[in-house]
Amino acid sequence: MATYVISDLHGNYEGYRKILKKINFQAKDVLYVNGDVVDRGNGSIKILEHMMMQSNIYPILGNHEYIACQCLEFLMQEINQDTIAQLDGGKLEGFLQWQKIGGDQTIKEFQTKDRDQQEAIIDYLKEFSYYEEVMVGNASYVIVHAGLDHFTCDRPLSDYQLHELIFHSPDYQQVYFPDRYLITGHLPTRSIAGNDHVDHIYIANRHIAIDCGSGYGGQIGAICLDNGAQFYSEE
Ligand SMILES: [Mn+2]
């Protein structure tokens, strides 16, 4: 049995299948998917439909799932006076924002599904956890999509609000927990200052940053928490 983490798939279904193959993912293994499964690529729903069938895949919420869930749920409603009244500037702004960050691809795919499938997808998105705490061997990990905004050493993880977990990247120069690793996605590692190994997993200062830029022509990276082995969809 082995434990793996991947992140920021962004609709890259081919890359997702490749990385599962690379890690030789088995029923006895565990895989954490650290958010931003959806948007940009054209295979978001396909990935979600595969993930939801695997009881050993644990999804964690990303900012893209957060906005997708809100918009898709609104689209599922019957059009009537109430829903029209709800469609205020904020709602429309949300849709526009989502479209700008690749949500148009996800809507296109979502529309090809029947009502039951659409409901199952939304239900699944609501199951995504806000973060995970994982112990593998003697090592302890906190897995969260973006970071821990307004971090203090003595603040319990359960105290963080959702917006503090999915939008703001951590300071990768700062050690957050002296005895735990913080695993994050959200910010492609090519954008981490001082990282000379773009689109590869970045490890420093008890951070493990694993967004290898699948949404931007990069690749999907996986790390095995049992032995630190790294795997890449395109290598
Ligand atoms: Mn993100």
Side-chain angles (χ1 to χ4, degrees):
M1 180 214 151
T3 302
Y4 301 91
V5 194
I6 61 175
S7 189
D8 294 80
L9 310 177
H10 280 304
N12 177 3
Y13 180 75
E14 293 307 318
Y16 170 70
R17 295 312 297 234
K18 278 189 203 170
I19 201 76
L20 291 184
K21 219 170 174 176
K22 287 267 166 78
I23 64 175
N24 189 24
F25 189 53
Q26 305 284 317
K28 60 184 182 347
D29 297 329
V30 168
L31 175 66
Y32 291 94
V33 179
N34 193 18
D36 286 4
V37 171
V38 303
D39 298 346
R40 302 196 202 284
N42 59 11
S44 300
I45 304 295
K46 229 168 145 184
I47 300 175
L48 289 174
E49 286 183 325
H50 181 268
M51 283 172 63
M52 68 171 82
M53 301 305 289
Q54 322 301 317
S55 58
N56 55 340
I57 292 186
Y58 297 94
I60 298 159
L61 195 75
N63 53 308
H64 283 263
E65 281 79 43
Y66 174 67
I67 187 166
C69 196
Q70 286 184 330
C71 291
L72 292 177
E73 205 168 28
F74 186 81
L75 289 175
M76 295 284 285
Q77 292 179 91
E78 211 181 306
I79 298 171
N80 57 34
Q81 291 301 327
D82 285 348
T83 45
I84 290 168
Q86 276 178 48
L87 199 57
D88 58 4
K91 208 87 214 166
L92 286 171
E93 183 59 33
F95 273 106
L96 285 174
Q97 248 181 28
W98 187 36
Q99 228 172 8
K100 269 191 216 150
I101 60 171
D104 46 343
Q105 289 292 334
T106 306
I107 292 190
K108 224 190 260 176
E109 226 188 321
F110 189 76
Q111 282 167 337
T112 66
K113 300 290 162 184
D114 67 32
R115 180 117 197 147
D116 284 350
Q117 291 167 323
Q118 290 175 335
E119 277 170 4
I121 289 157
I122 289 174
D123 287 347
Y124 184 59
L125 288 174
K126 287 182 179 168
E127 280 175 30
F128 281 39
S129 58
Y130 287 9
Y131 61 86
E132 293 281 355
E133 296 176 88
V134 183
M135 190 87 190
V136 179
N138 294 321
S140 172
Y141 304 87
V142 175
I143 310 173
V144 63
H145 176 64
L148 299 169
D149 207 19
H150 307 115
F151 173 82
T152 56
C153 300
D154 51 0
R155 189 174 178 197
L157 287 173
S158 56
D159 189 58
Y160 288 85
Q161 304 296 305
L162 181 60
H163 64 88
E164 297 180 295
L165 303 173
I166 63 172
F167 293 113
H168 307 286
S169 294
D171 176 357
Y172 287 104
Q173 301 309 311
Q174 185 195 339
V175 174
Y176 282 64
F177 306 103
D179 52 351
R180 311 175 92 180
Y181 292 93
L182 184 60
I183 303 181
T184 50
H186 188 60
L187 182 71
T189 61
R190 63 172 77 170
S191 302
I192 295 177
N195 176 27
D196 47 15
H197 208 190
V198 297
D199 298 345
H200 287 75
I201 292 169
Y202 173 84
I203 303 179
N205 307 317
R206 296 220 156 239
H207 286 280
I208 303 176
I210 60 168
D211 177 355
C212 296
S214 168
Y216 305 90
Q219 57 181 346
I220 298 168
I223 186 159
C224 174
L225 300 186
D226 301 77
N227 57 16
Q230 299 179 17
F231 303 84
Y232 294 96
S233 61
E234 307 306 318
E235 288 174 9

